[in-house]
Amino acid sequence: MDQSATPMGKALATKDISPTLQAHPSLAFSKNGYTYRVETRGTHSTYTVSDGARTLALPIHWSAGAGEQTWILERDGHLYESLVSYYPAINGLDLTTGAEGFTPQTLEQALGREMTANDSKTCFNCHATHAVVDGKLDLASIKPGIACEHCHMGSNAHQADAIRGNFKTAPPPLEEMSAEQTSNFCGQCHRTWETVVVNHWRGEANVRFQPYRLANSKCFNGADPRIACTACHDPHQNVVRKQISYDPACLACHAPVLSDRSPFTPSKTASPAIAAAQAPVAKACPVAKANCVSCHMPKVTLPGGGGHLAFTDHEIRVVRPGDPYPN
């Protein structure tokens, strides 16, 4: 199954295949006394920052992000995260999310944030395939975007074996993982509950970390498949934006009664334990039976990035006006 056209499949682009850069050959932005320009000529893109007296210009080799786009730059053998990024909401540049409270004191600081070895490995490993070899970042082996092999380890070898008639090397079926295991698996990139807690990432910024937010939900049960990431999202498809599309998943737990007309019926082949876990047990919503996520999973605008990014909060809850953001 090909998912190369999804946001995951387009999580990283090289200078040769970045549609954003090709569509915006000249971008400019000024902040804190520094002027930034991102210019593309053919397949060559350049990131430039100037303080009026000096100028630093570096070629863009990698563009991270399918919508918002941040650039990974290389200078004197070191990798940098660009201090400004492209935001579709404004069709232009602004400070990179997380950099809004930083005021550069030198031209070198205005260029971007120097990435540690661990930062670089984590960044490329989540945005590309084959980025890490033997525990180390290998820029030469990178395949842009999330391909099958990234999640289904050994799938390429299995394809080769299948051609020769050997079907015994298939990767473990991920659909057999529990909700807790799925959350931790997806959390390798989207951040696990433990990762957020250990790093003390507090406030609205952690709305980006869906496994953490989901685990904070009162209804989260690591053994219940109805609350797994894949109960709502197919990683091989684009994210569904129509809110009403998620109603069946909500009503799998919150349906008034389980009947032939219920939007959810346990699989006839499910084990008794799984079938019992899948039976609706939660209280039905007294307010509405449609567009559940519009109330119980509100949109949260990030405090950084100029307010250009909003995420659906995966901490499922009853939201009351004036309530503070729950950590």
Side-chain angles (χ1 to χ4, degrees):
M1 182 179 292
D2 181 27
Q3 46 73 255
S4 59
T6 68
M8 287 176 63
K10 297 183 289 187
L12 185 76
T14 66
K15 61 183 179 62
D16 300 322
I17 58 173
S18 173
T20 297
L21 291 175
Q22 294 294 325
H24 301 83
S26 183
L27 295 164
F29 174 71
S30 295
K31 186 75 173 182
N32 297 322
Y34 298 95
T35 300
Y36 297 84
R37 298 195 69 84
V38 177
E39 298 179 306
T40 299
R41 300 291 181 270
T43 59
H44 298 280
S45 298
T46 304
Y47 177 97
T48 302
V49 57
S50 175
D51 61 5
R54 296 173 56 222
T55 298
L56 289 176
L58 296 176
I60 294 175
H61 296 301
W62 302 282
S63 300
E68 174 205 0
Q69 202 155 92
T70 300
W71 299 288
I72 310 301
L73 313 166
E74 188 172 11
R75 180 172 184 257
D76 297 333
H78 299 274
L79 295 177
Y80 292 81
E81 176 189 72
S82 63
L83 196 68
V84 301
S85 297
Y86 171 81
Y87 293 91
I90 59 172
N91 198 30
L93 303 178
D94 206 335
L95 291 175
T96 298
T97 300
E100 60 281 350
F102 175 66
T103 301
Q105 302 300 313
T106 67
L107 186 63
E108 286 72 19
Q109 290 181 354
L111 176 70
R113 178 181 66 88
E114 183 175 354
M115 303 170 72
T116 66
N118 187 61
D119 288 339
S120 302
K121 185 170 71 171
T122 300
C123 175
F124 281 100
N125 194 45
C126 287
H127 286 268
T129 304
H130 299 311
V132 177
V133 178
D134 295 329
K136 297 181 179 180
L137 178 64
D138 187 345
L139 296 177
S141 68
I142 281 178
K143 178 178 180 180
I146 304 303
C148 302
E149 186 77 7
H150 190 281
C151 295
H152 303 280
M153 297 299 293
S155 59
N156 287 346
H158 171 60
Q159 289 178 352
D161 289 340
I163 293 174
R164 295 189 290 268
N166 178 13
F167 300 96
K168 297 180 179 180
T169 59
L174 300 182
E175 66 269 16
E176 294 182 1
M177 294 192 300
S178 68
E180 182 79 24
Q181 290 170 329
T182 301
S183 188
N184 287 332
F185 184 84
C186 298
Q188 293 176 91
C189 290
H190 294 279
R191 305 301 190 272
T192 64
W193 187 89
E194 290 80 5
T195 298
V196 175
V197 171
V198 168
N199 286 279
H200 304 289
W201 291 330
R202 310 293 285 176
E204 288 91 339
N206 66 34
V207 73
R208 296 176 296 161
F209 309 135
Q210 296 88 351
Y212 166 76
R213 301 300 297 168
L214 186 64
N216 285 343
S217 303
K218 182 179 180 180
C219 60
F220 183 77
N221 179 346
D224 192 332
R226 294 172 298 173
I227 200 67
C229 306
T230 48
C232 291
H233 301 295
D234 182 347
H236 306 104
Q237 304 293 331
N238 284 319
V239 176
V240 177
R241 302 295 180 185
K242 189 179 295 185
Q243 293 181 331
I244 199 171
S245 299
Y246 295 100
D247 287 348
C250 300
L251 296 176
C253 293
H254 295 276
V257 294
L258 183 63
S259 67
D260 292 339
R261 298 188 64 185
S262 172
F264 179 85
T265 303
S267 168
K268 294 180 180 179
T269 60
S271 69
I274 291 179
Q278 291 174 336
V281 295
K283 186 171 103 174
C285 179
V287 177
K289 300 295 183 290
N291 290 311
C292 308
V293 299
S294 64
C295 288
H296 298 286
M297 299 177 70
K299 292 282 187 181
V300 175
T301 300
L302 290 187
H308 309 312
L309 289 175
F311 287 80
T312 296
D313 189 356
H314 281 61
E315 181 168 335
I316 304 167
R317 63 190 188 277
V318 175
V319 182
R320 296 180 175 87
D323 281 355
Y325 179 79
N327 274 299

